[in-house]
Amino acid sequence: MKLFIKFDINTICSLFLKQNLEQQNVNFTTLGFGEIEIADNIDAEALETLKNNLLPCGFEVVENQKSVLVQKIKDAIIELVFMEDSNNYKSSVFLAEKLNHSYGYLSNVFSEVTYSSIENFIILQKIERAKQLIIINEMSLTEIAFLLNYSSVAHLSTQFKNTTGITPSAFQRIIKKRRENLK
């Protein structure tokens, strides 16, 4: 039997981090997505243990200031893409207001650290979100395009095909065929 599971990545990450930190008896406060403050001073060995426990699951403690800012940019973009009313925000304005830096500065730091643009990262995140929404099968492509702030289904389809190599409609057919084959 195959199950299709809808999930919230922010909740999963927060729960995993909370469980891991509590397991190590670390007293902490969550400041935001991907950002915590440790209440007590922990020694270098305990910090190293914490880092090593997080790594296998894809979590990494970021220490370089520019890398920290890039991670905050990525987290803010993911937050924006998953917001129900994301089409009310222009990404550059959202990032500048959320991170208290000019968009030009954020863009330069992001490009310097990742060798890619903020816009490319936004497109990748939107396409990943579109794939999730297609798999869940609760919305039409028109509704998905609107939710993800695309000007049209054609615009979504173009970016989807450029990113994945197939159109959203072809992706839908593949998902439908897989479901039929499982019955």
Side-chain angles (χ1 to χ4, degrees):
M1 172 175 30
K2 186 172 186 180
L3 299 175
F4 295 92
I5 299 172
K6 183 177 178 179
F7 59 89
D8 177 5
I9 195 70
N10 294 343
T11 303
I12 293 167
C13 290
S14 295
L15 284 173
F16 172 81
L17 199 53
K18 181 178 187 246
Q19 289 172 348
N20 203 292
L21 291 168
E22 286 175 351
Q23 204 171 48
Q24 293 186 45
N25 295 319
V26 175
N27 188 10
F28 71 98
T29 304
T30 303
L31 301 175
F33 183 69
E35 188 174 2
I36 62 166
E37 182 175 23
I38 297 176
D40 308 318
N41 287 331
I42 60 173
D43 61 39
E45 185 179 329
L47 182 59
E48 198 58 35
T49 301
L50 175 63
K51 290 178 187 179
N52 290 334
N53 288 345
L54 296 175
L55 268 178
C57 296
F59 289 82
E60 181 180 349
V61 176
V62 182
E63 299 181 64
N64 171 301
Q65 284 304 97
K66 285 186 177 179
S67 295
V68 168
L69 183 56
V70 167
Q71 189 58 51
K72 285 182 178 184
I73 294 167
K74 288 179 177 182
D75 292 344
I77 290 167
I78 292 168
E79 178 185 334
L80 178 63
V81 169
F82 278 82
M83 285 172 60
E84 291 297 322
D85 61 345
S86 65
N87 54 3
N88 293 334
Y89 299 96
K90 188 172 180 187
S91 57
S92 58
V93 173
F94 178 81
L95 291 171
E97 288 177 358
K98 175 121 181 124
L99 301 172
N100 296 317
H101 289 289
S102 73
Y103 182 76
Y105 175 74
L106 296 173
S107 180
N108 287 338
V109 170
F110 192 90
S111 297
E112 179 185 323
V113 173
T114 66
Y115 303 105
S116 183
S117 70
I118 287 177
E119 291 308 313
N120 283 340
F121 187 77
I122 291 171
I123 291 168
L124 291 173
Q125 294 309 309
K126 283 177 149 184
I127 297 308
E128 285 304 311
R129 179 72 172 134
K131 290 192 304 191
Q132 287 178 351
L133 293 168
I134 290 168
I135 289 169
I136 292 168
N137 198 24
E138 292 178 354
M139 301 173 84
S140 68
L141 290 179
T142 303
E143 291 168 323
I144 292 170
F146 178 78
L147 178 70
L148 296 176
N149 204 18
Y150 281 100
S151 57
S152 65
V153 175
H155 187 205
L156 166 64
S157 294
T158 300
Q159 285 192 344
F160 196 100
K161 183 167 183 168
N162 289 343
T163 303
T164 66
I166 61 173
T167 65
S169 300
F171 185 75
Q172 278 181 319
R173 287 191 297 273
I174 291 167
I175 297 301
K176 184 178 179 183
K177 193 72 163 167
R178 283 185 183 168
R179 288 183 178 149
E180 289 171 359
N181 289 340
L182 291 172
K183 291 180 182 177

